[in-house]
């Protein structure tokens, strides 16, 4: 997901989250597991409205938790740095200078190519940093490459 995509050239800063598709898949898997567990309990003890209400509350809490987790993990790409920020209450922020990147590569599996998500691999002198499950990784890797090229010309 891109924040401020329309005025990107004006602000020269972009905020990138992981793919919406992966968030949807994680929510779908969690709800499926909860429903299988609830079905087993229903088969053993019989149907009850209390179980239905508890299951619904758990599903809503899991959806909210996964969404907040997704929302609190993002990357910012500027002409000089790639910044990875994690956390909502306790935050962790890593910053990498674009000029010091030696090599940039993009990795997508079959589903990644189909749903347009993947990893961007940034290689520094002997170190590697992976931007995982980024939406539209080819665009962002070319953007970082362009910034790297522009930064090394100065």
């Amino acid at each position: 997901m891109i924040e401020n995509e329309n005025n990107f050239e004006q602000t020269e800063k972009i905020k990138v989250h992981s793919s919406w598709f992966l968030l949807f898949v994680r929510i779908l898997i969690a709800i499926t597991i909860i429903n299988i567990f609830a079905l087993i309990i229903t088969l053993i003890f019989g149907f009850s409205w209390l179980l239905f209400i508890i299951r619904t509350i758990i599903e809503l809490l899991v959806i909210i938790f996964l969404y907040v987790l997704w929302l609190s993990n993002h990357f910012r790409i500027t002409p000089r740095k790639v910044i990875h920020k994690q956390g909502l209450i306790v935050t962790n922020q890593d910053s990498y200078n674009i000029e010091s990147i030696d090599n940039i590569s993009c990795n997508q599996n079959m589903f990644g190519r189909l749903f347009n998500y993947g990893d961007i691999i940034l290689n520094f002198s002997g170190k590697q940093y992976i931007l995982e499950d980024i939406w539209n990784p080819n665009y962002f890797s070319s953007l970082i490459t362009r910034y790297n090229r522009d930064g090394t010309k100065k």
Side-chain angles (χ1 to χ4, degrees):
M1 180 179 137
I2 301 177
E3 187 176 282
N4 299 332
E5 181 179 16
N6 296 336
N7 61 355
F8 170 66
E9 293 302 324
Q10 296 169 358
T11 61
E12 298 220 10
K13 184 192 297 186
I14 196 160
K15 184 177 180 180
V16 184
H17 289 278
S18 63
S19 171
W20 271 99
F21 173 74
L22 293 177
L23 174 64
F24 176 74
V25 167
R26 289 176 183 136
I27 288 172
L28 192 63
I29 289 171
I31 288 175
T32 302
I33 291 170
I34 291 168
N35 282 317
I36 289 172
F37 185 69
L39 178 66
I40 291 170
I41 291 176
T42 302
L43 290 174
I44 294 171
F45 298 108
F47 179 78
S48 107
W49 283 104
L50 181 62
L51 176 65
F52 176 77
I53 292 169
I54 290 172
R55 186 200 74 200
T56 304
I57 291 171
I58 291 173
E59 286 177 351
L60 288 173
L61 290 175
V62 166
I63 290 170
I64 291 169
F65 173 76
L66 289 173
Y67 179 72
V68 168
L69 202 64
W70 175 84
L71 201 58
S72 65
N73 183 16
H74 63 271
F75 303 93
R76 287 199 185 272
I77 300 172
T78 69
R80 294 185 180 169
K81 292 185 177 193
V82 175
I83 303 163
H84 179 212
K85 187 174 181 183
Q86 287 179 294
L88 193 63
I89 297 171
V90 177
T91 59
N92 181 23
Q93 182 170 316
D94 297 321
S95 180
Y96 302 94
N97 287 329
I98 286 185
E99 292 177 2
S100 62
I101 297 173
D102 297 328
N103 186 25
I104 302 168
S105 58
C106 195
N107 187 14
Q108 288 181 294
N109 60 22
M110 182 181 72
F111 288 110
R113 284 190 296 276
L114 187 63
F115 295 104
N116 198 17
Y117 72 89
D119 300 336
I120 299 174
I121 303 164
L122 307 175
N123 292 308
F124 300 92
S125 55
K127 297 178 184 175
Q128 189 178 63
Y129 186 72
I130 301 174
L131 308 178
E132 293 180 339
D133 301 328
I134 297 296
W135 171 77
N136 201 356
N138 292 319
Y139 170 76
F140 291 113
S141 64
S142 66
L143 181 69
I144 294 169
T145 301
R146 187 181 79 200
Y147 284 159
N148 188 340
R149 224 183 355 250
D150 292 347
T152 54
K153 287 181 184 176
K154 294 180 182 179

